[in-house]
Amino acid sequence: MKTIDELLAEGVSGKRVFVRADLNVPLAGGAITDDGRIRAVQPTIAKLAEAGARVVVASHLGRPKGAPDPAFSLAPAATRLGELLGADVAFATDTVGASAKETVAALADGQVAVIENLRFNAGETSKDDAERGAFADQLAELADVYVGDGFGAVHRKHASVFDLPARLPHAAGYLIATEVGVLKKLTADVKRPYVVILGGAKVSDKLAVIDELLGKADRILIGGGMAYTFLYAKGYEVGISLLQKDQVDVVKEYMERAEETGVELVLPVDILASKDFPDLKGKTPAEFITVDADKIPADKEGLDIGPRTRELYASKITDAETVFWNGPVGVFEHPDYAGGTSAIAQALVDSNAFTVVGGGDSAAAVRTLGFDENAFGHISTGGGASLEYLEGKTLPGLAALEV
């Protein structure tokens, strides 16, 4: 995989460099609530601009239906990128139309432009190779060189991620190089004990990575909504908690495999439970009880790990040399149910391990709960991409850069 430093050594002054970034930031009322992904790609964009490149930044945001939708415009991200760069950033109001062509043509050496949301064009996400390729052809007309730095999208076989690098000289940006380097530390020559914390809503989203990690991790700590399928598989009553009954047999098999292979699979011992899912907008005080994990009332839903589980999980992290965490262990968006996720984050901070926060909601939780990002070994920008890498899958965006 060609590095951006090699690309810079060849010279990029005056060249149009297409940077496939991941500016898929959360928005509330048109305002960015977490700019972590923009800050993550800033070093690559800044370095190219300093070298005299005419930088064309592209990304997706959200899941528009292949047509323009103002709710998913990249305009706020372009504005924030300009603030971080300390320079004006031009913005094209389309992807490959007149605005994009005119905006790119107007760039001078060292200037930066952002084109509109790639997913406003159906060709970006099409499963039809010809349709996707046709869109990649149009994108290629905007650039001389391609730099892949949108790690959060490398597991997608999309036009700007997979097809476009085949049409232009290409290299990996700083962010992708960093992300891949970190993930290699989680898959090859891992320092042990190796502890994995998995949370989030659905156990089905994590089955493949659990399957892979049962042969690699020393301990797997389970939390979040997915924990209730494990508890149910143990024969516990889980009330109205999130439950995937169709996955119970698979979960039972994994628990048996963990015992056979000596992997410590740790489940919650107590739970914060309530009759009602909390109001996340007003964040009004929640009514809940703390119960043993095998005594969740039939009319209540588990919404966070309890205090004894927090202490237990922290103790399982204390002696770790490597920790990977993907998925909050409770409804952290509400202050009354953020304690478990906060306790996990604090345990990582307090440990002497190499700690990796696996993107997505986990990264958002760390920032929302006020933790210093520098206190962790690495905060990934791609939750789904990180998981698929750990599952051993070939990621299309990385494969395209390696050709």
Side-chain angles (χ1 to χ4, degrees):
M1 188 182 297
K2 188 174 186 177
T3 69
I4 189 171
D5 285 331
E6 291 172 320
L7 179 67
L8 290 166
E10 294 172 358
V12 295
S13 181
K15 293 183 179 179
R16 299 169 302 163
V17 180
F18 188 103
V19 178
R20 199 339 178 154
D22 180 9
L23 308 181
N24 185 27
V25 292
L27 298 171
I32 297 170
T33 59
D34 181 356
D35 67 354
R37 284 177 170 162
I38 304 176
R39 288 186 285 110
V41 76
Q42 179 198 350
T44 291
I45 296 169
K47 195 73 172 181
L48 288 166
E50 289 170 10
R54 302 178 182 190
V55 187
V56 182
V57 182
S59 176
H60 70 286
L61 192 152
R63 296 179 182 272
K65 305 299 183 182
D69 183 338
F72 298 107
S73 174
L74 278 173
T79 299
R80 181 58 181 146
L81 177 60
E83 293 170 353
L84 292 169
L85 291 172
D88 290 336
V89 169
F91 181 68
T93 56
D94 57 26
T95 55
V96 291
S99 179
K101 292 174 182 176
E102 291 168 7
T103 301
V104 172
L107 287 176
D109 294 358
Q111 291 186 329
V112 179
V114 174
I115 62 174
E116 187 54 285
N117 192 335
L118 291 163
R119 291 185 183 175
F120 285 0
N121 189 304
E124 169 67 2
T125 59
S126 176
K127 296 189 185 306
D128 181 83
D129 291 348
E131 184 180 8
R132 217 176 48 245
F135 183 49
D137 288 339
Q138 290 178 290
L139 291 172
E141 293 177 6
L142 300 175
D144 305 303
V145 181
Y146 176 94
V147 171
D149 216 26
F151 180 74
V154 293
H155 58 314
R156 306 294 187 191
K157 192 176 181 181
H158 290 171
S160 65
V161 176
F162 178 74
D163 302 273
L164 185 54
R167 289 156 169 78
L168 296 169
H170 50 265
Y174 292 123
L175 175 60
I176 279 186
T178 298
E179 295 273 14
V180 171
V182 165
L183 288 169
K184 285 181 178 177
K185 291 183 179 181
L186 300 178
T187 53
D189 299 323
V190 182
K191 292 185 178 180
R192 299 182 179 279
Y194 178 18
V195 178
V196 175
I197 307 117
L198 296 175
K202 296 181 179 181
V203 69
S204 56
D205 293 340
K206 304 285 172 39
L207 287 178
V209 76
I210 294 172
D211 183 52
E212 186 71 18
L213 289 170
L214 279 173
K216 294 179 179 177
D218 297 298
R219 297 175 199 137
I220 301 177
L221 318 182
I222 303 292
M226 62 182 286
Y228 304 104
T229 301
F230 279 87
L231 295 174
Y232 186 86
K234 285 177 67 71
Y236 297 169
E237 172 60 56
V238 298
I240 57 172
S241 304
L242 188 62
L243 172 64
Q244 290 185 279
K245 284 190 176 181
D246 61 328
Q247 303 296 338
V248 169
D249 288 342
V250 178
V251 165
K252 284 182 178 179
E253 180 194 338
Y254 285 176
M255 290 192 293
E256 291 170 1
R257 277 178 54 198
E259 189 170 351
E260 291 168 1
T261 57
V263 175
E264 194 176 356
L265 187 63
V266 189
L267 301 179
V269 295
D270 62 344
I271 296 292
L272 268 57
S274 173
K275 286 186 177 180
D276 303 302
F277 194 82
D279 170 20
L280 299 181
K281 291 184 179 179
K283 296 188 179 178
T284 53
E287 293 184 6
F288 61 85
I289 59 173
T290 302
V291 296
D292 290 345
D294 60 349
K295 293 183 175 61
I296 300 174
D299 65 342
K300 287 185 170 56
E301 174 180 14
L303 296 168
D304 194 11
I305 58 173
R308 287 191 293 121
T309 304
R310 297 170 197 177
E311 291 180 6
L312 172 64
Y313 284 13
S315 73
K316 298 296 182 182
I317 294 168
T318 300
D319 67 340
E321 289 290 335
T322 305
V323 181
F324 174 71
W325 172 30
N326 183 281
V329 297
V331 186
F332 75 92
E333 297 91 343
H334 193 287
D336 291 335
Y337 300 117
T341 300
S342 182
I344 294 295
Q346 189 63 55
L348 265 65
V349 170
D350 292 341
S351 76
N352 293 317
F354 174 63
T355 56
V356 179
V357 180
D361 287 340
S362 312
V366 163
R367 298 184 183 106
T368 299
L369 297 174
F371 285 88
D372 181 357
E373 294 179 43
N374 295 321
F376 302 89
H378 180 69
I379 297 180
S380 178
T381 57
S386 295
L387 286 178
E388 290 198 15
Y389 189 100
L390 292 181
E391 289 167 19
K393 290 184 178 179
T394 297
L395 306 188
L398 296 185
L401 293 175
E402 289 170 349
V403 177

